[in-house]
């Protein structure tokens, strides 16, 4: 299976880059992994709702250029469904068994994802009701995908 990670903004912190690289290396034995990053828009303090929507739409249009017709799109959204690690593993496994060959996980910028991206999503996934920096979320997502493959393959992994 191909796992595609689509994100807004660059990873600036070395510790996050190192963690992402480590999980990408570990995942190499289970799936084809690729990353697509689009530039984020500067969000001024106290921006109007209209400006926030415009920013999300601009970032969303950039993300949509990397979403292919054949991708099963999982949008990370605070109002998505919360799964435990076993349920996420089962979700990924069922997608593969059902003939889905490409899953695109989409992480928005600091304001979240645009309506266009959310409407294109086949599934909305939430990791928590809390808000996380999108750079940190990328590493958390990769760790959970790695954990999912370990679970699928009945391999040990710390709890």
């Amino acid at each position: 299976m191909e796992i595609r990670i689509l994100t807004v903004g660059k990873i600036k912190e070395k510790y996050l880059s190192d963690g992402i690289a480590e999980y990408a290396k570990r995942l190499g034995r289970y799936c084809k992994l690729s990353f697509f990053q689009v530039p984020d828009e500067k969000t001024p303090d106290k921006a109007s709702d209209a400006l926030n929507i415009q920013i999300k739409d601009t970032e969303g249009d950039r993300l949509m250029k990397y979403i292919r017709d054949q991708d099963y799109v999982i949008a990370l959204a605070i109002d998505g469904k919360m799964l435990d690690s076993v349920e996420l593993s089962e979700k990924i496994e069922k997608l593969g068994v059902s003939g889905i060959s490409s899953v695109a996980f989409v992480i928005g910028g600091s304001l979240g994802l645009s309506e266009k991206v959310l409407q294109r999503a086949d599934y909305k996934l939430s990791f928590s009701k809390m808000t996380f920096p999108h750079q940190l979320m990328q590493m958390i997502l990769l760790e959970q995908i790695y954990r999912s493959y370990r679970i699928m393959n009945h391999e040990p992994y710390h709890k």
Side-chain angles (χ1 to χ4, degrees), residues 48-104:
S48 67
D49 289 345
L51 180 57
N52 285 339
I53 290 170
Q54 181 183 348
I55 289 168
K56 286 197 300 187
D57 286 346
T58 299
E59 292 172 346
D61 289 343
R62 291 173 184 159
L63 287 167
M64 291 296 292
K65 290 178 184 173
Y66 293 97
I67 296 174
R68 306 173 306 189
D69 290 343
Q70 71 265 32
D71 290 332
Y72 183 92
V73 178
I74 298 178
L76 273 62
I78 204 160
D79 64 340
K81 183 158 173 50
M82 282 193 244
L83 303 176
D84 64 28
S85 296
V86 171
E87 290 170 326
L88 179 60
S89 174
E90 290 169 349
K91 174 84 177 160
I92 294 170
E93 187 172 31
K94 284 178 186 169
L95 289 172
V97 169
S98 70
I100 302 292
S101 61
S102 178
V103 177

Side-chain angles (χ1 to χ4, degrees), residues 6 10 15 23-24 26 63 74 78 88 94 101 114 116 124-125 128 134 142 144 147 150 156:
L6 287 63
K10 292 183 179 178
Y15 74 95
Y23 284 111
R26 292 181 187 191
L63 287 167
I74 298 178
I78 204 160
L88 179 60
K94 284 178 186 169
S101 61
S114 71
K116 187 186 288 186
K124 292 195 299 184
L125 177 65
S128 172
H134 52 283
L142 286 174
Q144 284 299 303
R147 185 182 294 269
R150 298 291 290 190

